[in-house]
Amino acid sequence: MTENLNYICKQIIKQSVNKMLKLYNTLTKKVEEFIPIDPNEIKFYVCGPTVYDYFHIGNARSFVMADIVRRYLEYKGYNVKFVMNLTDVDDKIIKKSNEERRNANDVTTDYINAFFEDITKLKIKKATLYPKATEHMKEIIDMIKLLVDKKFAYNADGNIFYDVKKFSGYGKLSGKNIEELEAGSRIEVNEEKKDPLDFALWKKAKDGEPYWESPWGKGRPGWHVECSAMSCKHLGKTFDIHAGGNDLIFPHHENEIAQSEAANDKQFVKYWLHFGFLNINEEKMSKSLGNFFTAREVLKKYSAEAIRMFFAQAYYRGPLNFSDDLLSAAEKGLEKINNLVDKINLEIRKNISGAKPGFDFDSYYKRFEEAMDEDLNTSQAVAVIFDFVKEVNRIIASSESVDVNFYDDVKTFLTKTAENVLGIVDFNKKNAGDDKLVNDLIELLITLRTEAKQNKNYLLSDTIRNRLKELGVVLQDSKEGTSYKIGKN
Ligand code: AMP
Ligand code: ZN
């Protein structure tokens, strides 16, 4: 009773402090107010990559959008337990390991490392946990056992199948009904399953495949049950948000619901979030169609901030066409923000006091939050940031000297919104502007040293040379003049 009251009080406080975030829930097919199960910690699960190759920029769209949702929840003051699984048992992994004549573990280790390199470059915040299927065999087998005991699953010669017709809610996420699905499917020759809709929870080992021991003999788990078992272990039987790309609604997420709810007799997930496809020539970008660019390829051409802005400027549930023009436009658009970022960094270093212009920061925070609260209208949120930059630039241009506190406040706004939520700005990034500044300063010192030598002030000219050397800048005199090299000799 006290616990309940405590919970209700916390909800009321939280809701009065935070405006309500509204999200489109694939399960209810409605935009709903987001009410966390436990306001002290939001439990968020995202289906991660199958680690048999580099991920492509289509996958990156889903990963970045999930990252933005997570960061916005944190902006609103929530703690978020964010779990992304790594699928490291799969047919595609086995195929790759056979092709490359390496064991599956070596293949997945390489691509897991590559995955972390790429998400770091994309400024995607590390998840709280990255559970791997191979490290959760006990939980996976336990869940399958429970489903067999409860007669939701059956054994067919060492393969365990989920009996879809036993689960009355099947189809509730995707909106498909069993009769229609049945009409569109057929049993493959030699398949042991009773019904074409049934799906594998456990696959009997074939020769040369990696396997684990189980009560049904040697084998490996199906993909769907991995996510059910790992999300339950790390986030509980019912948790707040489950996300992934649109392609996962059916069958993957539909099957996750069937497994988890049959095993636990509880609602599995409150809010289901799905991200639109990144297309290429109006067709889904995918490994199997071969129409993809890896994220690491695209990152060689465009900055992480531009890629994130390209995603953020689109409606997250709708399709988005991969476009060099839009990516270049994002890069160009960012120059406006980055020029201001450089100016802010410079002014904060200078630390000058002066007139503090009247500026309604709150109205910009409010507009940013209103956009994000309205089912993650990230493109509107980006527009608010551009309006803000324009207004700040206008003020700077019209004032003689502006107080450093103003720049601090401008920095705080951009850090909280553009950097920490959208990830389209990086205040600590070493940029071309910094390189140019370093170059200009060294050239200035070279000129002063030349003048000192001409004035026979050898003490000063030697001091400049030696002090620069200590800093790792080596001066080289020649007939043409003095040049410099960065390095110890
Ligand atoms: P996979 O490694 O294929 O399991 O995919 C990892 C994540 O990327 C899943 O959430 C997919 O739904 C998502 N995904 C795959 N292709 C695309 C695409 N073209 N656009 C957006 N998301 C995608
Ligand atoms: Zn999954």
Side-chain angles (χ1 to χ4, degrees):
M1 182 66 191
T2 1
E3 233 173 55
N4 274 350
L5 269 177
N6 197 6
Y7 171 68
I8 291 165
C9 288
K10 275 189 189 150
Q11 287 280 96
I12 293 169
I13 293 166
K14 191 117 230 169
Q15 285 163 26
S16 59
V17 171
N18 286 315
K19 294 264 176 36
M20 275 297 212
L21 166 64
K22 294 198 213 101
L23 297 172
Y24 179 84
N25 186 350
T26 313
L27 184 64
T28 58
K29 285 134 199 92
K30 283 202 278 261
V31 176
E32 290 177 9
E33 288 186 341
F34 174 71
I35 302 169
I37 298 167
D38 170 4
N40 293 314
E41 189 181 65
I42 290 170
K43 315 279 192 305
F44 191 158
Y45 187 90
V46 184
C47 293
T50 308
V51 282
Y52 69 105
D53 210 338
Y54 301 118
F55 67 84
H56 59 66
I57 195 73
N59 301 128
R61 181 180 187 201
S62 288
F63 299 154
V64 166
M65 293 319 294
D67 180 54
I68 290 178
V69 181
R70 180 248 185 116
R71 285 159 171 258
Y72 186 57
L73 289 166
E74 289 174 346
Y75 170 99
K76 287 180 86 69
Y78 293 116
N79 292 317
V80 182
K81 184 167 182 188
F82 187 85
V83 177
M84 178 180 272
N85 70 301
L86 301 172
T87 304
D88 62 349
V89 195
D90 185 82
D91 289 343
K92 287 172 262 178
I93 296 171
I94 296 171
K95 187 164 169 267
K96 185 98 173 192
S97 93
N98 290 337
E99 278 166 15
E100 295 187 356
R101 292 169 200 274
R102 298 198 291 158
N103 78 45
N105 197 38
D106 291 343
V107 171
T108 57
T109 305
D110 280 359
Y111 290 111
I112 288 173
N113 290 337
F115 167 77
F116 285 121
E117 279 169 25
D118 293 347
I119 60 162
T120 307
K121 283 193 206 131
L122 279 167
K123 312 273 167 83
I124 292 175
K125 215 171 153 179
K126 273 256 169 123
T128 318
L129 281 175
Y130 290 100
K132 294 180 196 159
T134 52
E135 290 171 2
H136 290 76
M137 279 304 153
K138 183 184 174 310
E139 290 79 6
I140 294 170
I141 290 170
D142 284 350
M143 183 172 262
I144 302 175
K145 260 201 270 185
L146 191 58
L147 289 168
V148 172
D149 289 349
K150 291 176 113 176
K151 310 260 183 296
F152 280 99
Y154 58 91
N155 187 338
D157 188 29
N159 294 295
I160 308 293
F161 291 104
Y162 188 95
D163 196 339
V164 165
K165 286 206 178 121
K166 290 266 171 70
F167 183 68
S168 61
Y170 199 78
K172 64 182 170 183
L173 182 73
S174 57
K176 296 184 189 291
N177 77 47
I178 296 221
E179 289 71 38
E180 273 170 29
L181 286 169
E182 199 101 79
S185 58
R186 60 192 169 92
I187 293 205
E188 300 292 326
V189 189
N190 291 336
E191 267 200 20
E192 302 90 342
K193 51 188 179 181
K194 291 197 296 204
D195 189 292
L197 296 186
D198 296 350
F199 58 89
L201 299 173
W202 188 259
K203 299 175 182 179
K204 188 162 99 173
K206 297 194 189 113
D207 273 352
E209 285 185 359
Y211 64 81
W212 286 261
E213 296 292 344
S214 82
W216 319 284
K218 295 179 170 61
R220 62 189 164 93
W223 170 40
H224 314 303
V225 75
E226 295 171 7
C227 279
S228 280
M230 291 192 283
S231 58
C232 177
K233 156 127 197 238
H234 296 291
L235 300 176
K237 291 178 179 168
T238 304
F239 58 91
D240 298 289
I241 305 177
H242 194 316
N246 268 342
D247 53 340
L248 301 189
I249 298 175
F250 188 86
H252 185 52
H253 290 162
E254 193 71 67
N255 291 353
E256 278 190 48
I257 294 179
Q259 296 160 156
S260 302
E261 297 193 353
N264 299 328
D265 297 311
K266 284 201 162 122
Q267 179 173 1
F268 176 38
V269 169
K270 267 185 88 180
Y271 303 91
W272 285 91
L273 251 59
H274 290 98
F275 308 115
F277 292 147
L278 184 72
N279 291 337
I280 193 155
N281 301 324
E282 313 301 331
E283 196 171 32
K284 182 193 167 201
M285 185 181 284
S286 79
K287 286 268 164 57
S288 51
L289 292 173
N291 59 350
F292 64 90
F293 295 109
T294 61
R296 50 178 57 199
E297 269 175 282
V298 180
L299 275 160
K300 285 194 186 129
K301 223 167 145 191
Y302 303 102
S303 66
E305 288 78 12
I307 295 172
R308 295 180 68 109
M309 188 153 101
F310 165 61
F311 293 148
Q313 281 180 317
Y315 175 48
Y316 80 96
R317 293 202 292 123
L320 170 65
N321 220 30
F322 180 84
S323 145
D324 270 306
D325 286 350
L326 287 179
L327 278 157
S328 303
E331 201 79 82
K332 189 118 199 54
L334 280 177
E335 275 174 25
K336 286 198 196 92
I337 308 183
N338 287 333
N339 289 341
L340 179 60
V341 166
D342 287 347
K343 169 93 178 145
I344 294 166
N345 281 337
L346 183 71
E347 293 294 332
I348 289 177
R349 275 202 299 268
K350 288 200 316 210
N351 197 19
I352 288 172
S353 40
K356 193 170 178 189
F359 189 89
D360 190 0
F361 284 97
D362 283 348
S363 73
Y364 285 94
Y365 281 107
K366 189 162 167 272
R367 284 177 59 199
F368 177 79
E369 287 164 24
E370 275 168 3
M372 292 299 286
D373 283 343
E374 201 51 53
D375 191 26
L376 308 167
N377 191 341
T378 47
S379 68
Q380 183 57 31
V382 171
V384 172
I385 287 164
F386 276 101
D387 283 354
F388 173 85
V389 169
K390 201 166 149 199
E391 186 57 14
V392 168
N393 281 335
R394 198 189 59 74
I395 286 178
I396 296 172
S398 65
S399 323
E400 239 169 54
S401 78
V402 180
D403 194 277
V404 66
N405 286 322
F406 174 73
Y407 286 104
D408 274 334
D409 292 344
V410 171
K411 180 174 177 176
T412 303
F413 176 82
L414 287 175
T415 305
K416 284 188 172 171
T417 57
E419 182 164 20
N420 291 355
V421 176
L422 300 173
I424 59 172
V425 159
D426 183 349
F427 268 90
N428 297 313
K429 193 174 185 174
K430 201 179 139 309
N431 59 25
D434 288 347
D435 284 346
K436 186 172 177 313
L437 181 65
V438 168
N439 176 65
D440 290 353
L441 290 172
I442 298 174
E443 291 295 346
L444 175 65
L445 285 166
I446 291 175
T447 310
L448 293 175
R449 174 173 168 265
T450 311
E451 280 173 19
K453 275 209 294 196
Q454 281 160 2
N455 297 333
K456 302 204 165 34
N457 187 348
Y458 298 115
L459 182 63
L460 179 60
S461 66
D462 286 350
T463 304
I464 293 175
R465 168 193 281 277
N466 294 336
R467 295 295 296 275
L468 278 173
K469 192 166 179 201
E470 282 165 26
L471 294 172
V473 181
V474 181
L475 300 187
Q476 294 162 323
D477 294 317
S478 70
K479 280 204 292 282
E480 287 79 36
T482 305
S483 61
Y484 72 90
K485 208 170 79 181
I486 300 202
K488 288 289 171 196
N489 44 49

